[in-house]
Amino acid sequence: MSTPTVLSIAGSDPSGGAGIQADLKTFSALGAYGCAALTALTAQNTRGVTGIHPVPPEFVRDQVLTLVDDVQVDAVKIGMLGSAAVAEAVADLVGEVLDCPVVLDPVMVSTAGARLLDRDAVEAVLRLAPLVDLVTPNGPEAAVMLGCEEARTVTQQTEQAQELYRRLGTRVLLKGGHLPGPRATDVLADHDGTATLTALRVVTDNTHGTGCTLSSAIAALLPQRGDWGDAIEGAKDYLTDALRRSDELGIGHGAGPVHHFHEWW
């Protein structure tokens, strides 16, 4: 097949480790052509976010409409939306315009546990989620979506993945990076039941952008592999290797980025 074209609808990260920048790097590393529609500008580095400048929802819509009027999009990754208005605009695009698989990374809670969305925006993301093909929350985000305590064991993680699938009616990949232990376990819940994907945990402080990178990798690989299970497994393998090689970069003084181009540099 021709090179797949993948669209990221997400916020910008000037440090390059997360957001649109991480998405485009991931697409390129995995053989997909990347396009991007911005939902927000941020002022951030490896140590944190100091400011957010939202893009008006009408202009988010204009970016996507103008793109798809000319370019065929084979898959979409949705990341940081920032506000209820933008989430609702993106939901309209998914329902009416974007005729391809969509992966939603529901960016709600930072790695440090800080809430990144207000209640109205969370509700809007929950209305968007049933319209997409895969949702990839981490542990804290799943807890917000379900209104419960964060999972502390793989058994609880599995139960929450099943409950999210039941409520949303779409595939859920509940990431287990927040759980303790020597292995990182993600749980996929869909119409076939549940499946676990495990990998040895990589010991590193350089975890900035892991959620963005995993969801983008899935979106990049799905058009090439044609199967959700294969795409998710390949994405997890890619992220594990990117984490393993992240210490080679030495970017910033906080939580550095993963090494998106570990196979090329």
Side-chain angles (χ1 to χ4, degrees):
M1 64 176 294
S2 60
T3 302
T5 298
V6 186
L7 167 64
S8 172
I9 303 174
S12 171
D13 172 14
S15 76
I20 288 286
Q21 289 83 344
D23 296 345
L24 293 176
K25 291 175 184 178
T26 302
F27 298 158
S28 296
L30 293 174
Y33 181 83
C35 301
L38 270 70
T39 59
L41 305 179
T42 69
Q44 68 174 293
N45 55 31
T46 64
R47 293 182 289 197
V49 179
T50 61
I52 298 175
H53 183 71
V55 174
E58 298 82 6
F59 196 69
V60 174
R61 182 176 176 86
D62 288 347
Q63 291 176 76
V64 175
L65 290 177
T66 301
L67 174 69
V68 301
D69 184 55
D70 176 52
V71 175
Q72 175 180 317
V73 175
D74 298 303
V76 175
K77 174 267 173 78
I78 299 172
M80 175 187 178
L81 296 173
S83 70
V86 170
E88 289 164 358
V90 172
D92 289 342
L93 290 167
V94 172
E96 302 168 6
V97 178
L98 296 169
D99 185 21
C100 62
V102 179
V103 178
L104 170 63
D105 180 16
V107 181
M108 296 179 177
V109 184
S110 72
T111 300
R115 286 284 293 266
L116 301 177
L117 290 181
D118 60 27
R119 186 176 299 276
D120 288 345
V122 170
E123 292 299 322
V125 171
L126 287 171
R127 291 192 294 272
L128 165 63
L131 303 177
V132 308
D133 300 281
L134 174 68
V135 184
T136 64
N138 60 27
E141 287 159 351
V144 171
M145 296 173 80
L146 291 170
C148 66
E149 294 295 320
E150 182 181 347
R152 300 298 179 186
T153 66
V154 174
T155 298
Q156 293 175 345
Q157 179 189 8
T158 302
E159 292 170 350
Q160 291 189 8
Q162 292 171 328
E163 180 62 16
L164 275 174
Y165 171 69
R166 188 188 68 78
R167 292 190 189 184
L168 301 177
T170 194
R171 296 174 189 85
V172 173
L173 181 68
L174 180 44
K175 298 172 291 189
H178 289 74
L179 294 178
R183 302 191 69 85
T185 300
D186 301 335
V187 177
L188 174 65
D190 60 15
H191 62 277
D192 291 324
T194 58
T196 57
L197 299 87
T198 65
L200 285 175
R201 186 179 302 278
V202 178
V203 180
T204 179
D205 293 329
N206 298 321
T207 58
H208 184 53
T210 50
C212 302
T213 298
L214 181 66
S215 54
S216 296
I218 296 169
L221 290 174
L222 182 64
Q224 303 177 69
R225 301 195 177 184
D227 178 82
W228 283 102
D230 287 348
I232 292 169
E233 288 182 10
K236 187 171 178 67
D237 290 343
Y238 168 75
L239 176 58
T240 299
D241 289 339
L243 281 163
R244 188 175 292 119
R245 297 281 298 278
S246 64
D247 291 350
E248 298 174 12
L249 293 175
I251 304 298
H253 296 86
V258 303
H259 196 333
H260 294 95
F261 294 113
H262 58 273
E263 291 188 2
W264 299 96
W265 293 7

